[in-house]
Structures are given as structure tokens and as C-alpha cells.
Amino acid sequence: MKDDIKEKLKNKRIAAIDYGTKRIGIAVCDELHISCNPIKTIDIEKENLKDELSQIIIKERISAVVIGLPISYD
């Protein structure tokens, strides 16, 4: 299963979303999955949050999204 997912994501751009209580941080990796760069920080109370996320996904040609899940706050 893991190799199947790895093969499907090969040469695809992946976005990482760090969802906080006040802001969402978005980073995107390159097609070779070598580096990941921050793209934007968005206030979660923004009215057009979904539209802005959609625009980033389209503009950056994102194929998959990973959402961070904090296990502890330290």
C-alpha cells in the first residue's frame, strides 16, 4: 500500500497545511520531493478562506494535500 501511494505521488507537488487556532500555514514541495517552501499564512477568520485555499491549489498545481495533526503542544 505504501509503495502504491508513493508511486501515485511521484513527480507531483504536495501541499502541507498546518492548521492552527488563528492561522493556517501552507507550504509546497517540489515535484522531486526534495525541498518544501512556505507559500502563505492565512487568517482562519477570513471570509473567503476556502476560495483562497482553492486558488493556491490551482496556482501551485497541487496533486495532494497533507494536513498536520499536532499530538502535543510542546
Side-chain angles (χ1 to χ4, degrees):
M1 178 86 168
K2 204 174 198 182
D3 289 333
D4 185 42
I5 293 170
K6 195 173 184 177
E7 188 62 33
K8 286 180 182 179
L9 293 175
K10 191 174 184 176
N11 298 321
K12 309 278 179 157
R13 291 174 59 93
I14 302 170
I17 296 180
D18 183 16
Y19 195 90
T21 57
K22 296 181 181 182
R23 286 175 290 283
I24 296 173
I26 303 169
V28 176
C29 75
D30 63 315
E31 290 87 353
L32 299 175
H33 305 161
I34 294 172
S35 66
C36 192
N37 298 305
I39 297 295
K40 192 167 195 172
T41 303
I42 305 170
D43 185 5
I44 64 167
E45 304 221 358
K46 203 169 189 180
E47 286 183 26
N48 61 346
L49 177 62
K50 290 179 187 177
D51 293 335
E52 193 159 347
L53 287 172
S54 296
Q55 289 172 4
I56 290 169
I57 289 169
I58 292 166
K59 178 183 174 197
E60 297 292 333
R61 303 176 329 274
I62 303 301
S63 298
V65 176
V66 177
I67 299 175
L69 176 64
I71 303 221
S72 65
Y73 293 101
D74 58 353

